[in-house]
Amino acid sequence: MSRYGKRAGLIVHEEEPFNVETGSAALAEGPLTATDAFYVRSHGSVPEIHPAEWRLRVHGVVERELDLSLATLREAFRAREVTATLQCAGNRRAGLIAIREIPGEAPWGAGATGTATWTGVALADVLALARPLPGAAHVGFDGADLCPEAAPVQCFAGSIPLDKACRPEVLLAWGMNGEPLPPVHGAPLRAVVPGYIGARSVKWLDRIEIRSTACDGFFQHVVYRLVPEDGTPGPGEGMPLGLVALNADVLSPADGETITAGPLEVRGYAFAGGERYVARVDVSLDGGASWSQAELLDDLGPWAWRHWRIMLDFAPGEHEILVRAWDSSAATQPEDEAALWNPKGYVNNARPRVRVRAAPA
Amino acid sequence: MSRYGKRAGLIVHEEEPFNVETGSAALAEGPLTATDAFYVRSHGSVPEIHPAEWRLRVHGVVERELDLSLATLREAFRAREVTATLQCAGNRRAGLIAIREIPGEAPWGAGATGTATWTGVALADVLALARPLPGAAHVGFDGADLCPEAAPVQCFAGSIPLDKACRPEVLLAWGMNGEPLPPVHGAPLRAVVPGYIGARSVKWLDRIEIRSTACDGFFQHVVYRLVPEDGTPGPGEGMPLGLVALNADVLSPADGETITAGPLEVRGYAFAGGERYVARVDVSLDGGASWSQAELLDDLGPWAWRHWRIMLDFAPGEHEILVRAWDSSAATQPEDEAALWNPKGYVNNARPRVRVRAAPA
């Protein structure tokens, strides 16, 4: 067991702040990711919070400010459960770094994502008690984790539109996969914003601000923005990320693996993001000249990815497995990974390619 | 003036049923498309309806069936206005036909789309009066237009999820661009479902059915579905279309045009579909090796496309203008038009390419 209750064998990008990625084998275990294998993306140290002393302040453009204990949150609101995929905006950055370096950013593979069942209260119910006033348009989340990389140094924060905040799937969560939320995942309370980049599911929540404008902090106004290839990240530069873009990857076989020629099951995930669902996943062994449809596995509801599988026959020799997912708008992924390169290495959602060698049986 | 009040010069795909496309020049006139230039996609003849005798029946999985006159609709509910882009699923089919023929389908260019301000009542308000019962999950629209191409012959119909139907932007409309809705666009009443393919904005509405399942009629269960390239359209085959996929096109200059070398303004549209917005439009003159960001013009709200423009300098010689739009999930369009070919020719949302020759000034 490594730190923070995580199992051995995770891909550690950084010990402090703690940043670990789930390996493909652990993701392939099933559509729900085990808590001890779930990725952790943090920008500051895990803060020490005493649950009995902790309070959640709700303020800003509201009729009634709130100051709630964990006990009140649990007693005053209906408990809700949502199964949701979280995905870091830097998922699959390694593919972009292979094209051109991205200084200061970790080479996350395709495991900066995972799916869990989250338990808590609906943010909408808390907002209903606070009663947003006319002019309220965004809901900001403030964490307790001080982030040395931010300029100026500040706690992690982010906001979502009020319209999304009022939908029932957005939780203030204290539970993860049927157990208490572990400290490394944001205990005592975190936001869970299904369909949005992981950065909006702010951990170690201690303040919710109802605002007329989007969060202007470092982690929304300076980073977690898509800047054009030839642009320079800076305050307000590029487009703010929010909804997750359609993405997919192969979980098995691994890139570079030597397999035995003959039939082999190929497995992976696809995630539509936003309010969309995965409608189809195609796999090609001939560079996209022809495609076969993969079987979509367990449907865990509108906020979760879909695992998929397909049996393919591999002749002896070199192969490239090419995948494209389609979302419910019949949109599919872009082909060219190189053309997606951007200075911070976000949103690599190019069609994944996995090269394998099939050795004669 | 051609038939049905349409201006001369529209691209007529079919006289009966009436199918006309807006030319690029008319689309480029502004972000709101003039009614006399607005595209018409119909599968049957324009039905003759006497407004005074017309009734709207609302039935199905509801507590209270309704049978409403136009006068009651206007008097009993609050009038609402929404500016929304409609886009046919067959928009830009011509690009797919150029790759491989699609028998029986018209070669729509990039003008099977337009933006209008629609006036009517919120479907949600009518549903609130009817009170959907537990089990209600879809809202079906039935038109009065008999469609000979359907098997069996039937009136045009389609459904949307109840969740979407309850959102305030979905209208039952009697007005278009500040005038009474013209017969060819669905008078006395049509559905307007912003963000969805045009086929769900059913015209000549006479019945709304609240259902537990999606519409199983020809125009949803057999066609308007994306079938894999090697598949065969048939009942339930492929994925049902619904949300519009991110798309864009160049409105000026025209493909094949000879321009004068030097600076020239390039104009076009981009439409994100669904609940997304256009976040950025890039234009390249070097095949995608480098991109410049276009200026996004008038923002007509969350349900309308964005027109865009950019000044580019054209050296004498041949050029290809390549465009890619990005939506609010930071997803962009696929590159390869050929790979999007499908048996009915829907959802061509490949990055548009326009070839021009710049003659020395």
Side-chain angles (χ1 to χ4, degrees):
Chain A
M1 192 112 112
S2 74
R3 294 167 68 203
Y4 298 115
K6 292 292 167 183
R7 66 168 77 162
L10 300 190
I11 302 155
V12 179
H13 289 293
E14 208 174 358
E15 283 286 354
E16 194 58 47
F18 194 59
N19 281 290
V20 297
E21 174 174 349
T22 314
S24 295
L27 289 180
E29 282 168 16
L32 275 174
T33 312
T35 302
D36 72 351
F38 207 96
Y39 84 101
V40 177
R41 173 69 178 115
S42 45
H43 293 266
S45 298
V46 175
E48 262 189 54
I49 300 169
H50 300 287
E53 290 157 28
W54 175 93
R55 315 282 296 181
L56 179 69
R57 188 172 161 226
V58 180
H59 70 124
V61 189
V62 290
E63 215 171 297
R64 177 182 168 196
E65 290 204 0
L66 307 175
D67 183 62
L68 305 168
S69 69
L70 209 52
T72 303
L73 267 175
R74 286 171 174 273
E75 287 166 16
F77 302 97
R78 182 184 136 198
R80 306 205 189 219
E81 217 174 57
V82 172
T83 295
T85 298
L86 295 188
Q87 190 162 108
C88 179
N91 190 44
R92 299 182 65 204
R93 179 183 289 131
L96 301 180
I97 289 177
I99 291 154
R100 197 168 121 207
E101 65 172 337
I102 300 175
E105 296 293 337
W108 293 86
T113 185
T115 300
T117 298
W118 309 94
T119 310
V121 299
L123 172 58
D125 291 344
V126 175
L127 292 177
L129 191 65
R131 296 190 300 276
L133 292 167
H138 299 265
V139 175
F141 303 118
D142 285 87
D145 47 333
L146 202 66
C147 304
E149 80 181 74
V153 168
Q154 58 199 267
C155 287
F156 194 86
S159 70
I160 60 172
L162 178 62
D163 181 54
K164 173 70 176 178
C166 290
R167 296 205 180 152
E169 69 272 10
V170 180
L171 297 190
L172 304 176
W174 57 68
M176 178 177 183
N177 289 333
E179 304 283 338
L181 185 68
V184 76
H185 285 293
L189 196 78
R190 72 173 299 169
V192 172
V193 184
Y196 275 58
I197 59 167
R200 299 296 176 259
S201 289
V202 174
K203 301 190 280 284
W204 310 295
L205 206 54
D206 60 13
R207 204 159 58 84
I208 293 177
E209 185 185 8
I210 290 76
R211 305 167 51 95
S212 57
T213 58
C215 169
D216 54 8
F218 182 79
F219 296 100
Q220 186 153 337
H221 195 58
V222 182
V223 299
Y224 289 112
R225 300 177 78 93
L226 190 74
V227 172
E229 184 177 352
D230 55 356
T232 305
E237 292 295 326
M239 69 173 92
L241 300 175
L243 305 178
V244 173
L246 174 67
N247 214 332
D249 213 341
V250 176
L251 294 174
S252 162
D255 192 36
E257 193 174 327
T258 297
I259 61 173
T260 302
L264 179 77
E265 186 175 87
V266 176
R267 275 186 176 259
Y269 69 74
F271 183 47
E275 300 212 321
R276 298 190 174 174
Y277 61 86
V278 173
R280 201 173 94 199
V281 173
D282 299 342
V283 183
S284 175
L285 287 183
D286 57 12
S290 67
W291 299 90
S292 301
Q293 278 74 60
E295 179 191 356
L296 299 181
L297 304 174
D298 318 59
D299 183 353
L300 301 182
W303 306 109
W305 62 12
R306 294 296 289 268
H307 276 204
W308 52 265
R309 72 172 168 206
I310 188 170
M311 285 298 296
L312 294 174
D313 201 51
F314 291 84
E318 304 286 329
H319 297 278
E320 185 180 70
I321 304 167
L322 177 62
V323 175
R324 63 175 185 192
W326 301 76
D327 73 15
S328 42
S329 80
T332 186
Q333 301 173 256
E335 289 90 334
D336 186 5
E337 196 169 31
L340 298 180
W341 192 94
N342 63 87
K344 295 289 284 179
Y346 299 127
V347 198
N348 179 6
N349 76 330
R351 301 181 184 178
R353 296 166 184 271
V354 162
R355 290 155 199 89
V356 294
R357 197 174 70 81
Chain B
M1 193 114 108
S2 76
R3 295 168 67 205
Y4 298 115
K6 291 292 165 184
R7 67 169 76 163
L10 299 190
I11 303 154
V12 179
H13 289 293
E14 210 174 357
E15 283 285 357
E16 196 58 48
F18 194 59
N19 282 289
V20 298
E21 175 175 347
T22 313
S24 295
L27 289 181
E29 283 168 15
L32 275 174
T33 313
T35 302
D36 72 351
F38 207 96
Y39 83 101
V40 177
R41 173 69 179 114
S42 47
H43 293 265
S45 298
V46 175
E48 264 189 52
I49 300 170
H50 301 287
E53 290 159 27
W54 174 93
R55 313 285 294 182
L56 178 69
R57 190 174 160 225
V58 181
H59 69 123
V61 189
V62 291
E63 215 171 299
R64 177 183 168 197
E65 291 203 359
L66 308 175
D67 184 61
L68 304 168
S69 69
L70 209 51
T72 303
L73 266 175
R74 285 170 174 274
E75 288 166 14
F77 303 95
R78 182 184 136 194
R80 306 203 190 221
E81 218 175 57
V82 172
T83 296
T85 299
L86 295 188
Q87 190 161 107
C88 179
N91 191 45
R92 299 182 64 205
R93 180 183 288 129
L96 302 179
I97 289 177
I99 291 154
R100 199 168 120 205
E101 66 172 336
I102 300 175
E105 297 293 336
W108 294 85
T113 186
T115 300
T117 298
W118 309 94
T119 311
V121 299
L123 172 58
D125 291 344
V126 175
L127 292 176
L129 190 67
R131 295 192 299 278
L133 292 166
H138 299 265
V139 174
F141 304 117
D142 284 270
D145 46 333
L146 203 65
C147 304
E149 79 180 76
V153 169
Q154 58 199 268
C155 288
F156 194 84
S159 70
I160 60 172
L162 178 62
D163 180 54
K164 173 71 176 177
C166 290
R167 297 204 180 154
E169 69 272 11
V170 180
L171 296 191
L172 305 176
W174 56 67
M176 180 177 181
N177 289 333
E179 302 283 338
L181 185 70
V184 76
H185 286 293
L189 196 77
R190 71 174 300 168
V192 172
V193 185
Y196 275 59
I197 59 168
R200 300 295 177 259
S201 289
V202 174
K203 299 190 283 284
W204 310 295
L205 208 54
D206 62 11
R207 205 160 57 82
I208 293 177
E209 185 185 7
I210 289 77
R211 306 167 50 93
S212 58
T213 58
C215 169
D216 54 6
F218 182 78
F219 295 99
Q220 186 154 337
H221 195 58
V222 182
V223 299
Y224 289 112
R225 300 178 75 94
L226 189 75
V227 172
E229 182 176 353
D230 56 357
T232 305
E237 292 295 326
M239 68 173 93
L241 299 176
L243 306 180
V244 173
L246 174 67
N247 214 332
D249 213 343
V250 176
L251 293 175
S252 164
D255 194 35
E257 194 174 327
T258 297
I259 60 173
T260 303
L264 179 78
E265 186 175 87
V266 177
R267 276 185 174 261
Y269 69 73
F271 184 47
E275 302 211 319
R276 298 189 177 176
Y277 62 86
V278 173
R280 200 173 96 199
V281 173
D282 299 340
V283 184
S284 175
L285 287 183
D286 57 10
S290 66
W291 299 89
S292 302
Q293 278 75 60
E295 180 191 355
L296 298 181
L297 303 174
D298 317 61
D299 182 353
L300 301 181
W303 306 108
W305 62 12
R306 294 297 288 269
H307 276 205
W308 52 264
R309 73 173 165 204
I310 187 169
M311 285 298 294
L312 293 175
D313 201 51
F314 292 84
E318 305 285 331
H319 296 277
E320 184 179 73
I321 304 167
L322 177 61
V323 175
R324 64 176 183 191
W326 300 77
D327 74 15
S328 42
S329 81
T332 186
Q333 301 173 254
E335 288 91 334
D336 185 6
E337 197 169 30
L340 297 181
W341 192 95
N342 62 88
K344 295 290 283 182
Y346 299 127
V347 198
N348 179 6
N349 76 330
R351 300 180 185 180
R353 295 166 184 271
V354 162
R355 288 155 200 87
V356 294
R357 196 174 71 80

